[in-house]
Amino acid sequence: MKHFWVFLFISTVFFTNTFAQKPEKLSSAELFHEIQKLNFLGTALYVAAHPDDENTNLISYLSNHKKARTVYLSLTRGDGGQNLIGPELRELLGVLRTQELLAARNVDGGEQWFTRANDFGYSKHPNETLKIWDKEKVLADVVWAIRNIKPDVIINRFDHRTPGSTHGHHTSSAVLSMEAFDLANNPEVYPEQLKWTTTWQPKRSFYNTSWWQYGSQEKFAEADKSGMLKLDVGTYYPEFGLSNNEIAAMARSQHLCQGFGRLTDRGISAIYIELIKGEMPTNNDVFDGINTTWSRVKGGDAVGDILYKVEERFDFQNPSKHIPELVRAYELLQQVEDIHWRTLKSKQLKKIILATAGIYLEASSESGSTTPGSKAVIHIEAINRTLPNVTLKQIDIVGVDAKLLPNKTLGTNQKENFDIGFTVPENTSYTSPYWLNEPGTLGTYMVKDQKLIGKSETPSGFKAMFSLVIDDVEITFEKDVIYRYSKPDKGELYEPFAVLPEVTSKIDEKVLIFATMDTKEVQVKIRAGKNDVNGSVVLDHPAGWTIVPTSIPFSIAQKGEEISVKFNVTPPNIESEGKIAPKITVGNKVYVKELVEIDYDHIPKQSVLLPSEAKVVRMNIQKSGEHVAYIMGAGDKVPESLEQIGYQVHMVDPNTIQNGSLDKYDAVVIGIRAYNVIETLKFKQPILFDYVKKGGTMIVQYNTAGRWSNQFDNIAPYNMTLSRDRVTDENAEVKILAPKNSLVNFPNPISEADFDGWVQERGLYFPSQWSKEFTPILSMKDEGETEKQGSLIIAPYGEGHYIYTGLSFFRELPVGVSGAYKLFANMLSVGKDNVKKNSNVKG
């Protein structure tokens, strides 16, 4: 029976709110849970910096145990992180992590909000963070969130009192939360927001503390906890057959791209929250002294009188018997003057009425996408499975002049189907994440529409409004238009219904490196968004570059079909960089967007429209050696980058490494975090070191300190201690410590100027100590810190060389930073002359 409840919980709650996921189908037990939440009028806001920062145990506890509306405000979308499940990085990673957060909230019962802050990468201090974010803009967004969500209590994940002790984004989230707490109720602060919302004053603010704040569990045990609440978040929910811990773990496990899949656990689990502002609760209840009943709303008593009785007398065998009471409560709720509570509770109550009545409503398109000006057909399904008398009065498609007036009685368990056709207006906005529609800054996304700020995702382009008469009361229910289909190997599937351009283009290689004046063939892929698309494509380019031919005509017969056209691109004879961008003309319209689809089983399919372009770089770069073995770690695009400058990169499975199998390669490169994620490497260290001893070059890129098995002591042939040292300022001054070392001389002279144009950071997880055999090559530091000399160190070992580098080549090479290419070529060329070695290697 337990397995049934787990399946039922995941299959309903997991898909409750996610845009265009499976519709919710609540059991009687879950309906009762929803009615309990309907009868609790209290709100908690949890504030942190990134996806995966949130305490899912506490969010689930507040949502499912306290029955409070619980919202997680993540200041960023996690754009600066890494991706363990696919190629998405930067803004695309932010889209993926946004959906993973929504998936997590659909498990733990919370809601999700954001600000415009961009996760620009690791920051050591909130001063730096708030400068890059543009503090006033992000603070305004936090105030906006508080004014709209209207929380009674705010809980910060991080401590505003300890700047510099953790990630600058973390501390900044608490700093902004504390400031916004005092500003949200002041009408003179961000008065322009008051066109759409009202001021609000939360009652109290907490800090979600823990033993790590005190340095050890022993110190925390001795700490004064008189200003803290101790919450047991291990409570058990019979209606789900799950404990709060299990729900929280399942929610946490939705952060798959961060590698946060985890085991569930059970039992008593204590969480402490420290009061920061407001009055201390007297009964260990965050809502103590706050009216969370229907009586807090003028006119709410009459609504509560009905709904409390429904909760008290709920019939699990026949929930539909409560429909007359629920409908009457809905009528009374529409007379409540408080717009905030009327809107929130009407939405909850309508969901409960549909589920209690067993009414299913769906609006599904014929295909997953359409284009402006095209015809669209929406299939309507409506069925009433329990009530004797429900009338489907009207169906409207919002955004177009399309409606049906069936005025038809829905007989018990008799399915009714209708079709609604319409022409998509030419001015319909494309489906794409709203925060990516305009160019932003390093730290802040540009969002022009104030009403969109904070939203998790772009609202659905088309919605179906069903007007039903239930128990003689007309109620309108809103459903997003979706696309429902099936696959033999996956069954029934749901996707968002997207509005896309009639044609998009793409250049697969986002950076093209020209190490010589040789011409390269560049392939442009053109994809049709509708049938019978005809046009021409040109390639915009920087001055001095030559493109042949100047224009290429094309014709595509089928929607979704993709063709390729090829241009010959010749660089100038001097160093140059810029962008090439396909420009497609169809009739009198020009299209310049690339369509990126993010499609994983654990999130809804995402359509992202970005500028279609590629960076081109002409650099004078020399290299020695030909064949490189690459052992991939957590995932990066370094191999593709090295191939751009003429190396033949051979991907090597570490499980296949045997004595002598690496000897044919000029160098062996270990991908980022390889020792953290590939357990096999601990058994292959002797073979790798033997390869170096016989004359090979081994380059190890950054690994996170201490996160590997204790079965081997070191990832280097000599003593080396990794640390958390990093330099986060991508413009930090770089000094060359060993000007005569070959790494900065052969075959490319390296100067401080080669560190211009780096992105996001200089590097991370530098060694802090190393044996005398190593030579440090570079020195760098962030403002106010001591010099860090461990970003690039080299040691001879036998006849070869071992190199460890924490420099962020995995970020710099894919975006075409010339100096990073030259330095990496020098690392691969260590100990070699200009004669290519083993030119007959085959991989």
Side-chain angles (χ1 to χ4, degrees), residues 113 162 227 232 395 404 417 452 465 649 675 728:
W113 274 60
T162 55
D232 177 12
I395 307 167
L404 287 178
N417 294 105
L452 285 175
M465 309 299 289
V649 181
Y675 287 99
T728 60

Side-chain angles (χ1 to χ4, degrees), residues 266-545:
R266 289 144 289 277
I268 295 173
S269 179
I271 280 180
Y272 291 86
I273 56 175
E274 177 187 354
L275 182 71
I276 303 297
K277 285 181 179 289
E279 292 184 5
M280 184 68 182
T282 59
N283 62 355
N284 214 50
D285 178 2
V286 295
F287 291 99
D288 177 51
I290 299 170
N291 185 358
T292 58
T293 71
W294 278 102
S295 65
R296 82 178 288 175
V297 180
K298 183 180 178 181
D301 282 325
V303 180
D305 287 344
I306 297 173
L307 294 178
Y308 289 134
K309 289 177 183 177
V310 172
E311 180 181 344
E312 181 181 351
R313 302 169 185 175
F314 187 74
D315 189 333
F316 289 86
Q317 295 296 320
N318 182 23
S320 64
K321 69 178 285 186
H322 299 294
I323 284 296
E325 299 161 282
L326 294 172
V327 169
R328 176 57 181 157
Y330 177 80
E331 278 190 296
L332 293 173
L333 181 55
Q334 303 320 298
Q335 300 171 25
V336 168
E337 294 179 7
D338 189 314
I339 297 175
H340 173 73
W341 285 113
R342 186 177 73 224
T343 303
L344 283 177
K345 292 303 177 180
S346 292
K347 183 178 180 181
Q348 284 182 269
L349 186 50
K350 287 199 287 186
K351 180 178 75 171
I352 290 169
I353 289 171
L354 273 189
T356 305
I359 296 173
Y360 181 81
L361 304 172
E362 180 180 280
S364 176
S365 67
E366 281 191 325
S367 65
S369 67
T370 187
T371 60
S374 295
K375 300 287 186 181
V377 176
I378 307 301
H379 302 305
I380 301 295
E381 178 182 338
I383 186 169
N384 156 40
R385 289 171 287 190
T386 66
L387 299 181
N389 186 9
V390 174
T391 300
L392 176 57
K393 186 176 179 181
Q394 182 170 318
I395 307 167
D396 290 271
I397 305 298
V398 177
V400 292
D401 184 19
K403 69 173 61 179
L404 287 178
L405 300 169
N407 202 28
K408 182 170 184 144
T409 298
L410 299 179
T412 305
N413 211 30
Q414 295 180 13
K415 183 172 66 172
E416 299 288 347
N417 294 105
F418 311 90
D419 284 344
I420 301 179
F422 59 89
T423 299
V424 179
E426 291 286 354
N427 62 352
T428 302
S429 298
Y430 296 134
T431 301
S432 191
Y434 70 86
W435 61 95
L436 299 179
N437 287 339
E438 301 286 341
T441 66
L442 173 64
T444 314
Y445 284 117
M446 170 66 73
V447 181
K448 293 182 177 179
D449 186 347
Q450 178 68 44
K451 297 185 295 299
L452 285 175
I453 293 173
K455 291 184 180 296
S456 296
E457 53 192 348
T458 305
S460 175
F462 296 101
K463 298 178 184 292
M465 309 299 289
F466 294 83
S467 296
L468 271 63
V469 178
I470 303 173
D471 208 45
D472 296 325
V473 175
E474 184 173 338
I475 305 175
T476 300
F477 299 91
E478 178 184 293
K479 295 288 181 179
D480 287 339
V481 174
I482 51 86
Y483 173 49
R484 179 168 69 102
Y485 65 106
S486 66
K487 285 186 175 181
D489 58 337
K490 292 188 177 182
E492 187 176 58
L493 298 170
Y494 292 78
E495 285 182 7
F497 178 49
V499 180
L500 301 173
E502 60 181 320
V503 64
T504 55
S505 62
K506 178 183 180 181
I507 300 175
D508 284 332
E509 298 83 6
K510 297 306 177 189
V511 176
L512 295 162
I513 305 298
F514 292 77
T516 67
M517 284 188 62
D518 292 344
T519 297
K520 286 189 177 184
E521 187 177 77
V522 175
Q523 181 174 266
V524 176
K525 295 179 179 178
I526 303 172
R527 174 174 169 170
K530 67 175 188 178
N531 293 337
D532 299 320
V533 178
N534 302 282
S536 62
V537 56
V538 299
L539 205 58
D540 279 356
H541 57 279
W545 294 69

Side-chain angles (χ1 to χ4, degrees), residues 137-167:
K137 289 182 180 178
V138 182
L139 177 59
D141 291 357
V142 180
V143 170
W144 171 254
I146 292 174
R147 286 173 171 174
N148 282 277
I149 297 166
K150 302 192 185 307
D152 298 299
V153 297
I154 297 176
I155 303 174
N156 296 330
R157 182 68 181 92
F158 300 105
D159 191 349
H160 66 288
R161 300 163 296 189
T162 55
S165 62
T166 183
H167 196 324

Side-chain angles (χ1 to χ4, degrees), residues 534-594:
N534 302 282
S536 62
V537 56
V538 299
L539 205 58
D540 279 356
H541 57 279
W545 294 69
T546 303
I547 309 294
V548 177
T550 56
S551 177
I552 300 177
F554 70 89
S555 178
I556 306 177
Q558 295 294 321
K559 175 182 178 179
E561 183 182 352
E562 187 176 81
I563 65 168
S564 295
V565 298
K566 297 176 181 178
F567 292 92
N568 290 319
V569 178
T570 305
N573 61 1
I574 58 173
E575 292 197 342
S576 171
E577 66 178 58
K579 292 180 179 179
I580 55 173
K583 183 181 292 184
I584 298 175
T585 301
V586 176
N588 60 355
K589 296 180 180 178
V590 176
Y591 298 91
V592 293
K593 294 291 187 180
E594 172 186 350

Side-chain angles (χ1 to χ4, degrees), residues 787-804:
E787 294 282 345
K788 304 294 187 294
Q789 298 186 357
S791 64
L792 177 60
I793 60 175
I794 182 172
Y797 185 68
E799 297 180 9
H801 296 84
Y802 176 94
I803 298 171
Y804 183 89

Side-chain angles (χ1 to χ4, degrees), residues 82 172 182 221 261 290 340 419 472 505 541 587 601 633 651 680 714 747 835:
Q82 294 178 41
S172 294
D182 294 323
I290 299 170
H340 173 73
D419 284 344
D472 296 325
S505 62
H541 57 279
D601 288 342
M651 305 306 295
T680 305
N714 214 321
V835 178

Side-chain angles (χ1 to χ4, degrees), residues 768-784:
S768 58
Q769 296 178 335
W770 49 85
S771 68
K772 60 181 177 59
E773 288 84 1
F774 282 103
T775 299
I777 304 300
L778 305 172
S779 172
M780 58 190 69
K781 67 174 182 176
D782 281 322
E783 184 178 356

